[in-house]
Amino acid sequence: MNIEDVKKICVIGAGNMGHQIALCAALAGYQVRCTDISQEMLNKAEGFAKTYLPERVAKGKLSQEQADQALRNISFIQNLEEAAADVDFVIEAAVEKIDIKRKLFAELDRITPPHAILATNSSFIVSSKIADATNRPDKVCNMHFFNPALVMKLVEVVQGPHTSTETAQITMDLSKKMGKNGAWLKKEIYGFLVNRILAALHNEALFLVDMGIASPEEIDMAVTNALGHPMGPFRLMDFTGIDLSYYIGMERYQETRDQKDKPSPLIIEKFVKGEWGKKTKKGFYSYD
Ligand SMILES: NC(=O)c1ccc[n+]([C@@H]2O[C@H](COP(=O)([O-])OP(=O)(O)OC[C@H]3O[C@@H](n4cnc5c(N)ncnc54)[C@H](O)[C@@H]3O)[C@@H](O)[C@H]2O)c1
Protein backbone atom coordinates (compact mmCIF):
# COMPACT_ATOMS: atom_id res chain seq x y z
CA MET A 1 0.00 0.00 0.00
CA ASN A 2 1.14 3.57 -0.60
CA ILE A 3 -0.31 7.06 -0.17
CA GLU A 4 -2.00 6.94 -3.58
CA ASP A 5 -4.17 4.08 -2.27
CA VAL A 6 -5.59 6.34 0.45
CA LYS A 7 -8.83 7.82 -0.85
CA LYS A 8 -11.32 7.57 2.01
CA ILE A 9 -10.65 8.70 5.57
CA CYS A 10 -12.74 8.29 8.70
CA VAL A 11 -12.21 10.82 11.51
CA ILE A 12 -13.53 9.63 14.87
CA GLY A 13 -14.65 12.36 17.26
CA ALA A 14 -16.03 15.73 16.13
CA GLY A 15 -14.74 17.69 19.12
CA ASN A 16 -12.06 20.37 19.35
CA MET A 17 -9.63 18.40 17.24
CA GLY A 18 -11.74 16.04 15.13
CA HIS A 19 -13.94 18.61 13.38
CA GLN A 20 -10.90 20.51 12.13
CA ILE A 21 -8.85 17.43 11.21
CA ALA A 22 -11.81 16.21 9.15
CA LEU A 23 -12.05 19.53 7.34
CA CYS A 24 -8.28 19.57 6.65
CA ALA A 25 -8.61 16.15 5.01
CA ALA A 26 -11.67 17.23 2.99
CA LEU A 27 -9.80 20.34 1.80
CA ALA A 28 -6.92 18.08 0.74
CA GLY A 29 -9.34 16.23 -1.55
CA TYR A 30 -10.09 13.13 0.52
CA GLN A 31 -13.54 11.57 0.94
CA VAL A 32 -14.05 12.09 4.67
CA ARG A 33 -16.54 10.56 7.09
CA CYS A 34 -16.57 12.37 10.39
CA THR A 35 -18.23 10.37 13.13
CA ASP A 36 -19.06 10.92 16.81
CA ILE A 37 -21.29 9.25 19.41
CA SER A 38 -22.92 12.65 19.88
CA GLN A 39 -25.25 13.88 17.12
CA GLU A 40 -25.01 17.35 18.68
CA MET A 41 -21.23 17.40 18.14
CA LEU A 42 -21.72 16.27 14.53
CA ASN A 43 -24.26 19.05 13.94
CA LYS A 44 -21.82 21.57 15.40
CA ALA A 45 -18.99 20.24 13.22
CA GLU A 46 -21.17 20.47 10.11
CA GLY A 47 -22.26 23.99 11.09
CA PHE A 48 -18.62 24.96 11.53
CA ALA A 49 -17.68 23.66 8.06
CA LYS A 50 -20.59 25.59 6.53
CA THR A 51 -19.47 28.89 8.08
CA TYR A 52 -15.69 28.42 7.95
CA LEU A 53 -15.51 27.63 4.22
CA PRO A 54 -17.48 30.71 3.01
CA GLU A 55 -15.38 32.87 5.37
CA ARG A 56 -12.19 31.56 3.72
CA VAL A 57 -13.70 32.30 0.31
CA ALA A 58 -14.62 35.85 1.43
CA LYS A 59 -11.03 36.37 2.65
CA GLY A 60 -9.67 35.20 -0.71
CA LYS A 61 -7.94 32.18 0.86
CA LEU A 62 -10.02 29.63 -1.07
CA SER A 63 -11.87 29.64 -4.37
CA GLN A 64 -15.64 29.06 -4.34
CA GLU A 65 -14.98 25.83 -6.23
CA GLN A 66 -12.50 24.56 -3.59
CA ALA A 67 -14.96 25.36 -0.79
CA ASP A 68 -17.83 23.63 -2.60
CA GLN A 69 -15.66 20.59 -3.28
CA ALA A 70 -14.55 20.36 0.37
CA LEU A 71 -18.19 20.40 1.51
CA ARG A 72 -19.03 17.68 -1.01
CA ASN A 73 -16.06 15.62 0.26
CA ILE A 74 -17.16 15.50 3.88
CA SER A 75 -20.08 13.75 5.52
CA PHE A 76 -21.13 13.59 9.16
CA ILE A 77 -22.33 10.14 10.21
CA GLN A 78 -23.19 9.03 13.72
CA ASN A 79 -23.12 5.29 12.99
CA LEU A 80 -19.54 3.99 13.28
CA GLU A 81 -20.12 0.92 11.08
CA GLU A 82 -21.41 3.12 8.28
CA ALA A 83 -18.68 5.73 8.72
CA ALA A 84 -15.72 3.34 8.79
CA ALA A 85 -16.85 0.41 6.62
CA ASP A 86 -14.88 1.13 3.46
CA VAL A 87 -12.16 3.57 4.47
CA ASP A 88 -8.40 3.33 3.87
CA PHE A 89 -7.29 5.40 6.85
CA VAL A 90 -8.76 6.24 10.26
CA ILE A 91 -7.75 9.20 12.43
CA GLU A 92 -9.14 8.67 15.92
CA ALA A 93 -9.69 11.91 17.87
CA ALA A 94 -12.13 10.73 20.55
CA VAL A 95 -11.74 11.58 24.24
CA GLU A 96 -8.36 10.98 25.91
CA LYS A 97 -9.40 7.82 27.74
CA ILE A 98 -7.46 4.67 27.10
CA ASP A 99 -10.34 2.23 27.66
CA ILE A 100 -12.50 4.11 25.14
CA LYS A 101 -9.66 4.17 22.60
CA ARG A 102 -8.93 0.45 23.04
CA LYS A 103 -12.60 -0.42 22.57
CA LEU A 104 -12.81 1.81 19.49
CA PHE A 105 -9.69 0.27 17.93
CA ALA A 106 -11.03 -3.26 18.51
CA GLU A 107 -14.28 -2.25 16.76
CA LEU A 108 -12.39 -0.52 13.96
CA ASP A 109 -10.32 -3.64 13.42
CA ARG A 110 -13.55 -5.55 12.87
CA ILE A 111 -15.26 -2.89 10.72
CA THR A 112 -12.57 -1.47 8.44
CA PRO A 113 -11.00 -3.30 5.46
CA PRO A 114 -7.83 -5.23 6.39
CA HIS A 115 -5.53 -2.76 4.58
CA ALA A 116 -6.77 0.30 6.53
CA ILE A 117 -4.33 2.18 8.76
CA LEU A 118 -5.63 3.07 12.24
CA ALA A 119 -3.98 6.19 13.70
CA THR A 120 -4.66 7.93 17.00
CA ASN A 121 -4.42 11.67 17.56
CA SER A 122 -3.88 11.12 21.30
CA SER A 123 -1.72 13.76 23.00
CA PHE A 124 -0.02 11.36 25.39
CA ILE A 125 -1.12 7.75 24.87
CA VAL A 126 1.44 5.88 22.77
CA SER A 127 -0.12 3.56 20.23
CA SER A 128 1.52 0.44 21.74
CA LYS A 129 -1.04 0.79 24.55
CA ILE A 130 -3.81 0.41 21.95
CA ALA A 131 -2.35 -1.65 19.07
CA ASP A 132 -2.83 -5.02 20.78
CA ALA A 133 -6.59 -4.43 20.83
CA THR A 134 -6.39 -5.07 17.06
CA ASN A 135 -5.18 -7.88 14.84
CA ARG A 136 -3.17 -5.42 12.75
CA PRO A 137 -0.65 -3.79 15.12
CA ASP A 138 1.68 -3.11 12.17
CA LYS A 139 -1.00 -0.70 10.84
CA VAL A 140 -1.42 1.25 14.10
CA CYS A 141 0.47 4.46 14.94
CA ASN A 142 0.18 7.92 16.48
CA MET A 143 -0.68 10.86 14.20
CA HIS A 144 -0.66 13.86 16.52
CA PHE A 145 -2.10 17.15 15.26
CA PHE A 146 -1.93 20.45 17.15
CA ASN A 147 -4.74 22.77 18.14
CA PRO A 148 -6.23 24.44 16.07
CA ALA A 149 -5.66 21.69 13.52
CA LEU A 150 -6.65 23.82 10.52
CA VAL A 151 -3.93 26.32 11.40
CA MET A 152 -1.06 24.50 13.09
CA LYS A 153 1.46 23.07 10.64
CA LEU A 154 3.03 20.27 12.66
CA VAL A 155 1.97 16.64 12.85
CA GLU A 156 3.98 14.18 14.96
CA VAL A 157 4.01 10.67 13.51
CA VAL A 158 5.11 8.18 16.14
CA GLN A 159 6.28 4.75 15.03
CA GLY A 160 5.85 2.21 17.83
CA PRO A 161 7.76 -1.09 17.97
CA HIS A 162 4.69 -2.75 16.38
CA THR A 163 4.25 -0.11 13.60
CA SER A 164 5.56 -1.01 10.16
CA THR A 165 7.76 1.50 8.36
CA GLU A 166 5.21 1.42 5.50
CA THR A 167 2.49 2.59 7.90
CA ALA A 168 4.66 5.40 9.30
CA GLN A 169 5.66 6.46 5.77
CA ILE A 170 2.06 6.60 4.54
CA THR A 171 1.09 8.60 7.65
CA MET A 172 3.94 11.04 6.96
CA ASP A 173 2.82 11.31 3.31
CA LEU A 174 -0.78 11.89 4.37
CA SER A 175 0.34 14.68 6.72
CA LYS A 176 2.07 16.32 3.76
CA LYS A 177 -0.99 15.94 1.52
CA MET A 178 -2.99 17.66 4.28
CA GLY A 179 -0.58 20.63 4.12
CA LYS A 180 1.31 19.71 7.29
CA ASN A 181 4.95 19.15 8.14
CA GLY A 182 5.37 15.69 9.60
CA ALA A 183 7.97 14.93 12.28
CA TRP A 184 8.74 11.19 12.27
CA LEU A 185 9.53 9.80 15.71
CA LYS A 186 11.28 6.46 15.20
CA LYS A 187 10.57 5.33 18.77
CA GLU A 188 7.74 5.90 21.19
CA ILE A 189 8.31 8.33 24.04
CA TYR A 190 5.88 9.84 26.54
CA GLY A 191 4.81 13.35 25.42
CA PHE A 192 6.37 12.94 21.95
CA LEU A 193 8.53 15.94 20.92
CA VAL A 194 6.61 19.14 21.44
CA ASN A 195 4.83 18.36 24.70
CA ARG A 196 8.14 17.17 26.20
CA ILE A 197 9.90 20.39 25.18
CA LEU A 198 6.97 22.45 26.43
CA ALA A 199 6.90 20.54 29.74
CA ALA A 200 10.64 21.13 30.24
CA LEU A 201 10.13 24.87 29.67
CA HIS A 202 7.13 25.02 31.98
CA ASN A 203 8.85 23.03 34.73
CA GLU A 204 11.86 25.33 34.66
CA ALA A 205 9.65 28.44 34.69
CA LEU A 206 7.69 27.04 37.69
CA PHE A 207 10.95 26.18 39.49
CA LEU A 208 12.20 29.77 39.07
CA VAL A 209 8.99 31.16 40.60
CA ASP A 210 8.98 28.54 43.39
CA MET A 211 12.58 29.59 44.20
CA GLY A 212 11.55 33.26 44.39
CA ILE A 213 13.91 34.19 41.54
CA ALA A 214 11.33 36.06 39.42
CA SER A 215 7.56 36.52 39.07
CA PRO A 216 5.37 34.83 36.41
CA GLU A 217 4.99 38.21 34.67
CA GLU A 218 8.77 38.72 34.49
CA ILE A 219 9.35 35.21 33.19
CA ASP A 220 6.63 35.56 30.53
CA MET A 221 8.15 38.88 29.48
CA ALA A 222 11.63 37.29 29.29
CA VAL A 223 10.41 34.34 27.20
CA THR A 224 8.40 36.46 24.75
CA ASN A 225 11.13 39.10 24.41
CA ALA A 226 14.21 36.87 24.25
CA LEU A 227 12.95 33.60 22.76
CA GLY A 228 10.31 35.11 20.50
CA HIS A 229 7.52 32.85 21.77
CA PRO A 230 4.09 34.40 21.12
CA MET A 231 3.10 33.70 24.74
CA GLY A 232 5.05 33.03 27.94
CA PRO A 233 4.64 29.75 29.88
CA PHE A 234 2.37 31.19 32.60
CA ARG A 235 0.03 32.91 30.16
CA LEU A 236 -0.08 29.68 28.16
CA MET A 237 -0.90 27.58 31.26
CA ASP A 238 -3.72 30.02 32.05
CA PHE A 239 -5.10 29.41 28.54
CA THR A 240 -4.76 25.63 28.49
CA GLY A 241 -5.95 25.30 32.11
CA ILE A 242 -3.90 24.91 35.31
CA ASP A 243 -6.21 22.00 36.24
CA LEU A 244 -4.96 20.22 33.10
CA SER A 245 -1.31 20.78 34.12
CA TYR A 246 -2.19 19.36 37.55
CA TYR A 247 -3.99 16.28 36.21
CA ILE A 248 -1.30 15.49 33.63
CA GLY A 249 1.42 15.82 36.31
CA MET A 250 -0.48 13.68 38.85
CA GLU A 251 -1.25 10.98 36.30
CA ARG A 252 2.38 10.83 35.22
CA TYR A 253 3.59 10.79 38.83
CA GLN A 254 1.23 7.92 39.69
CA GLU A 255 2.71 5.97 36.81
CA THR A 256 6.41 6.69 37.43
CA ARG A 257 6.48 7.51 41.19
CA ASP A 258 9.32 9.86 40.26
CA GLN A 259 9.29 13.08 42.37
CA LYS A 260 10.31 15.17 39.37
CA ASP A 261 7.03 14.27 37.63
CA LYS A 262 4.91 15.57 40.51
CA PRO A 263 3.14 18.91 39.79
CA SER A 264 5.14 21.85 41.19
CA PRO A 265 4.05 23.37 44.55
CA LEU A 266 2.79 26.42 42.67
CA ILE A 267 0.54 24.32 40.40
CA ILE A 268 -0.80 22.39 43.41
CA GLU A 269 -1.51 25.66 45.25
CA LYS A 270 -3.38 27.15 42.26
CA PHE A 271 -5.28 23.90 41.69
CA VAL A 272 -6.43 23.69 45.32
CA LYS A 273 -7.53 27.34 45.30
CA GLY A 274 -9.57 26.73 42.16
CA GLU A 275 -7.49 29.32 40.26
CA TRP A 276 -7.33 27.33 37.05
CA GLY A 277 -6.65 30.14 34.58
CA LYS A 278 -8.90 31.82 32.08
CA LYS A 279 -11.81 29.41 32.59
CA THR A 280 -12.11 30.44 36.28
CA LYS A 281 -11.22 34.10 35.52
CA LYS A 282 -8.10 33.79 37.69
CA GLY A 283 -4.88 31.87 37.32
CA PHE A 284 -1.45 33.43 37.17
CA TYR A 285 -3.29 36.46 35.77
CA SER A 286 -6.79 37.88 36.38
CA TYR A 287 -9.39 37.94 33.60
CA ASP A 288 -12.20 40.16 34.79
N1 LIG B 1 -7.49 19.65 22.60
C1 LIG B 1 -6.24 19.70 22.19
O1 LIG B 1 -5.57 20.74 22.26
C2 LIG B 1 -5.59 18.47 21.62
C3 LIG B 1 -4.42 18.60 20.85
C4 LIG B 1 -3.86 17.47 20.27
C5 LIG B 1 -4.43 16.21 20.48
N2 LIG B 1 -5.55 16.10 21.25
C6 LIG B 1 -6.13 14.76 21.42
O2 LIG B 1 -7.25 14.65 20.55
C7 LIG B 1 -8.23 13.79 21.13
C8 LIG B 1 -9.54 14.54 21.20
O3 LIG B 1 -9.38 15.69 21.96
P1 LIG B 1 -10.41 16.91 21.88
O4 LIG B 1 -9.76 18.05 22.58
O5 LIG B 1 -10.88 17.06 20.46
O6 LIG B 1 -11.60 16.32 22.78
P2 LIG B 1 -13.15 16.78 22.78
O7 LIG B 1 -13.64 16.38 24.13
O8 LIG B 1 -13.31 18.17 22.31
O9 LIG B 1 -13.80 15.82 21.67
C9 LIG B 1 -13.88 14.42 21.82
C10 LIG B 1 -15.10 13.94 21.05
O10 LIG B 1 -15.06 12.51 21.06
C11 LIG B 1 -16.42 12.07 21.12
N3 LIG B 1 -16.41 10.67 21.56
C12 LIG B 1 -16.26 10.20 22.79
N4 LIG B 1 -16.30 8.84 22.77
C13 LIG B 1 -16.49 8.48 21.49
C14 LIG B 1 -16.64 7.24 20.82
N5 LIG B 1 -16.60 6.09 21.47
N6 LIG B 1 -16.85 7.24 19.49
C15 LIG B 1 -16.88 8.42 18.80
N7 LIG B 1 -16.76 9.63 19.39
C16 LIG B 1 -16.55 9.65 20.71
C17 LIG B 1 -17.10 13.03 22.06
O11 LIG B 1 -18.50 13.03 21.88
C18 LIG B 1 -16.43 14.35 21.66
O12 LIG B 1 -17.19 15.04 20.68
C19 LIG B 1 -7.68 13.37 22.50
O13 LIG B 1 -7.06 12.11 22.38
C20 LIG B 1 -6.65 14.44 22.80
O14 LIG B 1 -5.61 13.97 23.62
C21 LIG B 1 -6.16 17.20 21.81
Side-chain angles (χ1 to χ4, degrees):
M1 182 174 168
N2 65 49
I3 187 64
E4 302 311 327
D5 299 317
V6 177
K7 310 242 185 283
K8 293 179 187 163
I9 297 178
C10 176
V11 176
I12 312 227
N16 272 333
M17 296 301 294
H19 79 285
Q20 295 211 6
I21 295 171
L23 203 45
C24 272
L27 281 163
Y30 291 99
Q31 292 296 313
V32 182
R33 285 86 195 258
C34 181
T35 183
D36 199 296
I37 43 167
S38 156
Q39 185 59 47
E40 193 188 335
M41 293 305 285
L42 288 172
N43 293 346
K44 266 172 97 174
E46 187 165 7
F48 173 82
K50 285 182 174 161
T51 51
Y52 172 84
L53 291 169
E55 272 170 27
R56 299 295 285 170
V57 174
K59 284 184 184 161
K61 304 281 185 192
L62 277 184
S63 69
Q64 188 62 51
E65 202 187 328
Q66 286 171 313
D68 292 344
Q69 188 58 51
L71 258 192
R72 278 197 296 273
N73 286 349
I74 193 166
S75 50
F76 300 87
I77 304 170
Q78 194 178 11
N79 185 292
L80 182 65
E81 304 252 353
E82 203 185 318
D86 62 348
V87 299
D88 311 299
F89 203 105
V90 175
I91 305 172
E92 173 274 318
V95 280
E96 186 74 345
K97 289 196 177 144
I98 189 152
D99 47 332
I100 291 182
K101 290 192 193 288
R102 285 184 62 85
K103 193 161 166 264
L104 262 171
F105 272 66
E107 279 183 80
L108 288 166
D109 190 39
R110 179 179 59 78
I111 299 168
T112 58
H115 71 271
I117 291 176
L118 311 178
T120 175
N121 178 52
S122 170
S123 305
F124 288 97
I125 301 168
V126 287
S127 74
S128 56
K129 293 197 172 169
I130 305 173
D132 65 328
T134 75
N135 292 307
R136 60 179 97 181
D138 58 311
K139 296 193 166 61
V140 177
C141 70
N142 290 85
M143 183 182 196
H144 183 221
F145 290 80
F146 289 80
N147 192 4
L150 279 161
V151 179
M152 301 297 277
K153 295 293 276 185
L154 184 70
V155 170
E156 292 171 324
V157 175
V158 188
Q159 182 175 8
H162 51 280
T163 312
S164 71
T165 298
E166 180 183 290
T167 295
Q169 183 64 61
I170 293 171
T171 310
M172 287 288 291
D173 293 344
L174 178 61
S175 308
K176 193 168 176 197
K177 292 258 182 195
M178 288 171 70
K180 308 296 180 193
N181 297 316
W184 186 336
L185 282 71
K186 303 281 190 322
K187 287 183 188 171
E188 290 186 338
I189 187 161
Y190 177 81
F192 314 142
L193 300 181
V194 172
N195 283 339
R196 285 186 80 82
I197 292 167
L198 204 58
L201 182 86
H202 286 194
N203 287 342
E204 191 57 35
L206 286 159
F207 169 77
L208 291 169
V209 175
D210 281 331
M211 291 289 287
I213 308 283
S215 68
E217 290 83 354
E218 281 162 327
I219 292 172
D220 277 357
M221 188 271 287
V223 169
T224 51
N225 281 235
L227 301 180
H229 293 194
M231 213 183 267
F234 295 97
R235 181 74 71 185
L236 184 57
M237 278 186 269
D238 268 5
F239 270 94
T240 52
I242 292 166
D243 53 330
L244 187 68
S245 307
Y246 175 84
Y247 292 131
I248 290 171
M250 282 311 277
E251 202 165 301
R252 185 72 183 143
Y253 172 64
Q254 267 153 19
E255 204 175 311
T256 65
R257 293 281 156 199
D258 186 337
Q259 287 296 325
K260 79 169 172 32
D261 289 325
K262 218 174 178 176
S264 91
L266 192 55
I267 290 287
I268 295 174
E269 183 194 315
K270 291 267 170 209
F271 178 78
V272 171
K273 280 187 184 161
E275 295 177 2
W276 294 354
K278 228 173 157 220
K279 65 174 92 167
T280 59
K281 298 209 181 328
K282 191 163 167 53
F284 295 109
Y285 298 86
S286 289
Y287 302 88
D288 284 327

